[in-house]
Structure formats: structure tokens, C-alpha cells
Amino acid sequence: MRTPYRGRFAPSPTGPLHAGSLVAALASWLDARAHQGVWLVRIEDVDGPRCVPGADRLILDQLTACGLVSDEPVQWQSMRGDAYEAALQRLVAQGDAYPCACSRQDIELALLAAGTPRERHQAAIYPGTCRPERGGLRGRPARAWRFRAPLRARVDWADRRLGPQTQDVARAVGDFIIKRADGLWAYQLAVVVDDAAQGITHVVRGEDLADNTARQILLQRALGLTTPAYLHTPLVLGPNGEKLSKQNGAQALALGDPVVALNAAARVLDLPASSGSVAEALAHWTARWGARWATRRSA
Ligand code: GLU
């Protein structure tokens, strides 16, 4: 028997909804409706310092103005610390996570010493200095907690739109942070714990997040959780050709004119512009994606 479809839109309240974030909101809503599923909104406010006070309420109002309303009470990640702590403790007990004392500079120096300096504009791949088998913290205070990326664990997964994807997490990102040095929970852990706790079967989100999926699948496996199906939507590009964001001038969606905004989002999703009726967009989405119901598990 199929698990009933449960999808979500999970904005970070770092500013109001803009043309780019509405695309992910609309796509996730259409996909849920096309599968007669449940659609949830989750406010991802784990990174408190980046959150803008009141942006969560504004986003919810903007969504409501567009006719996109969560089917169940909205959840805030800032209330979910106990669940993230329990997941961290489980990972530590299993040997899948360990404390790390390294500062950014320590990591740069270790990489330099190993002859593998970080390439410009590339994130550093953690050299494993604090891995328990390499001596652990060696008396230094723990700053952050890292997930141990298994060696030779190439993660293969299928994106419903982008097709087959693969990433060797150990080589591409290394042991990644799940609890940050400033005590905040990392997105990777919070999103995996919450998707599972909310029974999410289908994740529909922007393509800029596709690169995180392999890490999230590793966390799901380590925590004994089911991997949802993934669909990453096209991005809206700003004038500089980069993903539209607050930083490159994305305008907040005007609450007064949802039809124009929804039509623009529908065009990005390659749905024919219409009178702005979501019902029409839904018919097109269902024709394209509705039949492909499957909880794809990673290989
Ligand atoms: N909170 C993330 C963001 O706004 C999205 C997380 C997700 O959909 O997995 O970029």
C-alpha cells in the first residue's frame, strides 16, 4: 500500500517571499495537490542570526494571499531543539558523529600541511583532524559536531526532474557539520529530522539545494529514516545571472497582486500562463508529474 503523499514548503525567514521562493512554494503545493496529498509549511528558523523578525509572519501572509495555506499547523524549527539533540546523540552513540575543535584557520593550515590547500571559492573539505581514530579533540574544547562521511559511500539518487544524480560525499564535502560552533543546529540535520518527523514523502524545492541531497540521504540512512522522493525546481535568476535572492535585489512579492506573481512562477515551471487560476496550473502539473508517483529510494 502506498504511503499517503505528504509534501512541504520550508522557507527560511531571512526575508519576505520573492519571485524565486514562490516558485518552490507553488511547485510543492501543485505536486501535493496533484497527488491528493497533504501540503505543509515549515519555517526553517534554526539560523537565528540570519532570520529577520516578522519575516515568518510576512511569508505566511504572502502565501495565504496566493491561496497557499498549510494543511496542518505550521511548525517552527526553533521549537525543535530536543528532536535535533536526540538525533545528534544517536549519531554519536553509533559512532557516526564526533566533536570537532577546529577553527576555520586550523582547517586551512591542516589542508596546507597535507598539500591539499582549499581551492579559491571552494568550501574546505574537512581533513578529519578530530576524527576519534586520529586522536579526537586532544584536550581542546569541542566547537562543533560533524557527521562522519563514510568512505566509498557514493550516494546515487534520482531527481524527478533532473534525473540520476550521484555524489561521493567524503570526497565532495567531507565530514560535514551538523551542530555549529555557535551552538546552532545545521540545516542538514534539522531538515532531515523534520522531514521524517512530519512524514514527508516528497520534497519539492529549488535546484540550488540539490547539492545537499546526498548529505541528507546519508543522515537518513544513519538515523534509520526513509528517503523521500526529490524534485528540484528551476531557479529564477537575478540580473547578474545568479540565483535571485535578497542580496541581488529580489523584490518582496506584493501582497496585492498574487495573480501576476503566480503567473510568473508558473512560467518558470514551464506551465502555460493563464488567468492566474491555480486550478489551471494544477491540471498542467498533474498531466506532467502526477503519474510519476513513487517514493524513490536512493540506491
Ligand atoms: N530552508 C531552506 C531554504 O529556504 C529550504 C530547505 C529545503 O527545502 O530543504 O533555502
Side-chain angles (χ1 to χ4, degrees):
M1 210 182 71
R2 282 175 179 174
T3 320
Y5 182 113
R6 289 173 69 82
R8 70 358 177 235
F9 173 56
S12 303
T14 53
L17 213 60
H18 54 71
S21 34
L22 182 63
V23 172
L26 177 63
S28 60
W29 185 91
L30 287 171
D31 203 46
R33 288 294 173 267
H35 294 93
Q36 290 88 46
V38 168
W39 183 75
L40 307 178
V41 177
R42 179 172 72 227
I43 301 289
E44 299 214 320
D45 57 348
V46 267
D47 190 349
R50 282 190 60 230
C51 294
V52 172
D56 50 354
R57 292 286 162 197
L58 181 53
I59 290 171
L60 295 172
D61 287 347
Q62 290 173 303
L63 289 170
T64 302
C66 291
L68 310 178
V69 180
S70 184
D71 292 323
E72 291 177 10
V74 174
Q75 184 171 294
W76 273 258
Q77 286 192 322
S78 52
M79 313 293 285
R80 301 263 310 142
D82 289 351
Y84 309 145
E85 182 64 41
L88 173 64
Q89 291 314 323
R90 173 166 173 182
L91 294 172
V92 172
Q94 292 173 180
D96 289 322
Y98 62 89
C100 175
C102 297
S103 64
R104 239 171 243 192
Q105 201 193 9
D106 294 334
I107 296 172
E108 301 269 338
L109 289 173
L111 290 172
L112 210 59
T116 53
R118 178 175 66 86
E119 293 184 25
R120 261 166 75 88
H121 308 304
Q122 294 278 307
I125 296 176
Y126 184 62
T129 319
C130 291
R131 277 190 164 209
E133 70 272 21
R134 304 225 348 226
L137 295 171
R138 294 186 299 279
R140 295 167 304 157
R143 290 166 51 90
W145 291 80
R146 290 182 183 273
F147 178 77
R148 172 197 284 273
L151 275 182
R152 288 181 294 280
R154 215 186 57 177
V155 180
D156 294 311
W157 58 281
D159 185 277
R160 292 166 58 205
R161 176 177 151 258
L162 302 170
Q165 308 287 314
T166 187
Q167 187 180 58
D168 180 335
V169 174
R171 289 182 63 150
V173 284
D175 293 350
F176 56 90
I177 301 251
I178 49 178
K179 188 174 189 186
R180 298 170 15 174
D182 54 11
L184 298 177
W185 296 102
Y187 157 65
Q188 309 294 355
L189 184 72
V191 79
V192 161
V193 169
D194 285 343
D195 280 341
Q198 295 188 293
I200 300 300
T201 58
H202 289 69
V203 170
V204 177
R205 61 186 177 190
E207 199 174 318
D208 55 319
L209 294 164
D211 183 56
N212 296 285
T213 309
R215 270 169 278 176
Q216 293 169 14
I217 290 173
L218 285 182
L219 282 172
Q220 288 155 0
R221 288 180 186 165
L223 291 166
L225 305 172
T226 306
T227 292
Y230 288 95
L231 188 159
H232 289 88
T233 57
L235 300 181
V236 179
L237 302 182
N240 59 358
E242 286 179 3
K243 180 200 159 195
L244 192 65
S245 67
K246 244 182 355 178
Q247 288 72 26
N248 63 20
Q251 301 287 314
L253 286 185
L255 284 173
D257 211 347
V259 172
V260 172
L262 282 167
N263 257 332
R267 269 196 302 278
V268 175
L269 294 169
D270 206 20
L271 301 169
S274 64
S275 53
S277 117
V278 277
E280 219 174 308
L282 181 55
H284 288 284
W285 183 278
T286 308
R288 189 171 316 155
W289 301 107
R292 302 195 193 181
W293 203 112
T295 301
R296 299 254 175 92
R297 283 160 196 276
S298 57

